[in-house]
């Protein structure tokens, strides 16, 4: 027993020394000293692989925040709903949207199994029901009383009302809808490609965020119809989607094994400090604060993984 | 005299009625009822026309905030410094940068007249020296104690220190530099094409913002060298710039006559209210707040102007 206590004491001392040492490190150094337990491997079950002619976009879904929509989207992917459909809208400093180009014509719109099941919006979640930890960030936010990260996703929190919701940061993925709150059936999705349009928070269901390949969306030619839709009359055509698949449906040797930095660890606290106070030589002024949408997504491909 | 007072009283009553009416309008309706005095015409002297093979980008310079840098940039444009140089860096969710691709090799870098004049950074300005009005926005900001608009540019303010500075919002244009604070000579410029990198505020000189054509920068292919620079070894080439000209040097019939919504008018206050509380039918939740970088640039081409 004494030996165990000694070991634990020593381990705590080492951990404390390491943690105190980490306080001086810049972001790249923190990544370098990070340990495997500082990273999580998203379940392939919660990933969407969107293959475009130009490259692959990988989205992580957030079933903790939008369980019914995530189930619907996985179901649509298994039905290969989006294969051969298209990117229909690219609005600068706003969103890229994909859907059936004939979505406005009810009789032409591609059908799917399960469309008779109603899909009410999932705009926020009760804090009590949230299964993942909410890690509050220390700085004030323009839009939410509190902001932080839950399982790597930027989120807002209203403590009085005991609700939490995902933020429309760059790379967030949401469910397009018409005017009626429940008019989004999950077939039309969008990704944020500009300054965070936070006025959309709690107006639309956010279902996840892009982990990799956002550039294949953000660098697309802008549309010049109303709201950035591609306009036939301006010789603009929707851009074809090869396929969208749930990661677990992708052949093992074609999967990307990504790891995402955990947001509930001591290392992440140090990372937050390092990003609030940039000590890199180039910086001569430290903001001392950070906005959750200005915090980069930290991912890496799992060591030892071979992509065939 | 009595007649004048009556006229003034009536005018005030009408203005008040109009203003109270405007309180109920959404953004597009406010634009529709705006009067010519709600718009300003930027001086062509303060505009830069950046012509790329794909289209034209128009930048408005901010001599109130960076007088020496703006003078240098105008001088460089008159010397046709950037003609035939290139876009060398496109980093996703961050910046597009243009410069001499040989800028790192001192002997090869394109020379210009006046390069012997030192150019210290212009990171902020004394409130007393600021010639334009600072219109404070009502909401809290993560990075600055106060934010607002000065002559249409989003700015921060520190009342205790009596300083103000321009914000790195989407479309802001700044002066690239090396590690030394005074190492930017104005030949290497960047534009923000992602979520506002506000940690750059007061670290780099901001010289203005893009009024039109940002999409010709934001939709460029991303670079895959370090920091998003185009990498020769990855078969990426800098993208040529046809020319950059001061508006006043552009032939009259090739100029674009833009008008920008003023930010110090009663109409703008109504616009701010309309954008903080989106009453359009589509919105079911009003944020009740707004971040200055989430406020759109409102421009129009001057009525009656014919582009030849």
């Amino acid at each position: 027993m004494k030996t165990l206590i000694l070991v634990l004491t020593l381990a705590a001392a080492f951990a404390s020394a390491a943690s105190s040492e980490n306080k001086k490190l810049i972001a790249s150094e923190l990544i370098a000293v990070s340990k495997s337990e500082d990273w999580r491997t998203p379940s392939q079950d919660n990933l969407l692989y969107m293959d475009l002619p130009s490259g692959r976009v990988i989205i992580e879904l957030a079933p903790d925040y939008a369980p019914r929509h995530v189930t619907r989207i996985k179901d649509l992917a298994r039905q290969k709903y989006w294969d051969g459909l298209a990117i229909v809208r690219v609005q600068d400093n706003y969103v890229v949207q994909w859907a059936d180009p004939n979505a406005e014509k009810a009789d032409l719109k591609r059908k799917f199994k399960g469309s008779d099941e109603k899909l009410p919006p999932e705009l926020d979640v009760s804090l009590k029901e949230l299964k993942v930890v909410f890690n509050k960030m220390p700085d004030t936010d323009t839009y939410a009383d509190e902001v932080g990260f839950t399982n790597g996703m930027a989120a807002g929190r209203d403590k009085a009302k005991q609700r939490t919701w995902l933020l429309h940061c760059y790379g967030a993925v949401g469910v397009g809808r018409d005017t009626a709150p429940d008019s989004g059936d999950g077939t039309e999705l969008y990704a944020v490609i500009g300054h965070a349009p936070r006025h959309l928070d709690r107006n639309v269901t956010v279902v996840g965020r892009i982990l990799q390949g956002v550039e294949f969306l953000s660098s697309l030619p802008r549309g010049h119809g109303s709201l950035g839709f591609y306009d036939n009359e301006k010789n603009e055509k929707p851009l074809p989607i090869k396929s969208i698949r749930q990661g677990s449906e992708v052949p093992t040797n074609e999967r990307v094994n990504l790891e995402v930095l955990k947001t509930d660890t001591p290392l992440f606290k140090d990372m937050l400090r390092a990003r609030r106070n940039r000590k890199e030589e180039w910086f001569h002024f430290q903001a001392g604060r950070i906005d959750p949408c200005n915090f980069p997504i930290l991912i890496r491909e799992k060591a030892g993984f071979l992509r065939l």
Side-chain angles (χ1 to χ4, degrees), chain A:
Chain A
M1 186 64 186
K2 266 192 183 166
T3 319
L4 180 63
I5 289 171
L6 178 67
V7 169
L8 285 176
T9 310
L10 277 174
F14 277 123
S16 164
S19 169
S20 133
E21 189 61 34
N22 284 357
K23 284 191 171 60
K24 298 170 194 163
L25 301 186
I26 60 173
S28 56
E29 293 167 339
L30 285 167
I31 294 291
V33 303
S34 69
K35 300 195 168 50
S36 62
E37 59 263 33
D38 291 314
W39 300 83
R40 69 180 171 88
T41 304
S43 163
Q44 293 287 337
D45 188 56
N46 281 330
L47 297 184
L48 282 184
Y49 288 59
M50 178 186 202
D51 282 334
L52 303 173
S54 50
R56 175 173 276 180
V57 182
I58 298 182
I59 297 162
E60 183 176 17
L61 298 167
D64 294 311
Y65 277 89
R68 296 180 68 173
H69 282 79
V70 166
T71 300
R72 167 69 56 87
I73 288 166
K74 289 176 180 176
D75 194 26
L76 287 165
R78 275 193 295 267
Q79 292 183 41
K80 306 187 179 181
Y81 183 83
W82 290 286
D83 295 18
L85 295 185
I87 288 162
V88 293
R89 175 188 187 192
V90 184
Q91 186 171 1
D92 194 71
N93 191 18
Y94 205 47
V95 295
V96 167
Q97 201 157 318
W98 56 96
D100 185 337
N102 289 316
E104 300 299 312
K105 301 158 197 152
D107 51 330
L108 289 180
K109 183 180 167 181
R110 186 177 288 187
K111 303 286 182 289
F112 62 95
K113 282 176 226 154
S115 60
D116 48 331
E117 200 197 324
K118 273 278 177 197
L119 201 54
E122 295 172 298
L123 303 175
D124 58 5
V125 172
S126 150
L127 279 171
K128 279 178 202 156
E129 283 165 28
L130 190 71
K131 292 175 203 88
V132 282
V133 181
F134 181 99
N135 290 91
K136 185 181 173 303
M137 292 173 74
D139 303 307
T140 54
D141 178 78
T142 302
Y143 290 88
D145 294 338
E146 292 184 348
V147 286
F149 288 97
T150 55
N151 207 23
M153 307 261 177
R157 181 165 70 169
D158 184 327
K159 277 191 94 167
K161 292 187 181 160
Q162 288 281 300
R163 309 293 293 179
T164 174
W165 59 93
L166 293 181
L167 308 185
H168 276 85
C169 295
Y170 193 96
V173 175
V175 179
R177 63 160 172 83
D178 288 332
T179 301
D182 63 353
S183 55
D185 64 4
T187 60
E188 185 142 359
L189 300 176
Y190 64 87
V192 172
I193 57 153
H195 186 76
R198 297 279 305 277
H199 54 290
L200 298 181
D201 292 357
R202 290 180 277 178
N203 269 299
V204 211
T205 303
V206 177
V207 291
R209 67 164 189 178
I210 294 172
L211 294 183
Q212 198 174 58
V214 66
E215 68 176 273
F216 298 115
L217 299 176
S218 56
S219 65
L220 290 174
R222 276 46 183 161
H224 296 92
S226 166
L227 300 173
F229 278 88
Y230 286 130
D231 188 342
N232 240 329
E233 292 185 10
K234 291 174 179 155
N235 271 326
E236 295 174 340
K237 298 245 173 301
L239 297 169
I241 293 169
K242 284 162 74 174
S243 65
I244 297 184
R245 290 282 177 282
Q246 205 180 345
S248 45
E249 303 274 310
V250 171
T252 316
N253 63 354
E254 290 173 20
R255 291 182 195 168
V256 181
N257 270 359
L258 292 177
E259 290 188 317
V260 185
L261 196 75
K262 287 182 188 168
T263 51
D264 57 352
T265 59
L267 187 95
F268 188 78
K269 273 196 177 160
D270 290 321
M271 183 62 81
L272 199 53
R273 186 186 302 111
R275 300 293 303 190
R276 294 171 77 224
N277 297 286
R278 300 289 292 264
K279 302 283 190 187
E280 291 92 340
E281 211 187 348
W282 188 88
F283 286 86
H284 301 289
F285 176 82
Q286 274 86 44
R289 313 179 190 179
I290 199 165
D291 147 21
C293 294
N294 196 19
F295 195 92
I297 292 175
L298 297 165
I299 57 162
R300 64 179 189 186
E301 290 203 22
K302 208 166 181 171
F305 173 77
L306 289 176
R307 207 183 322 177
L308 302 177

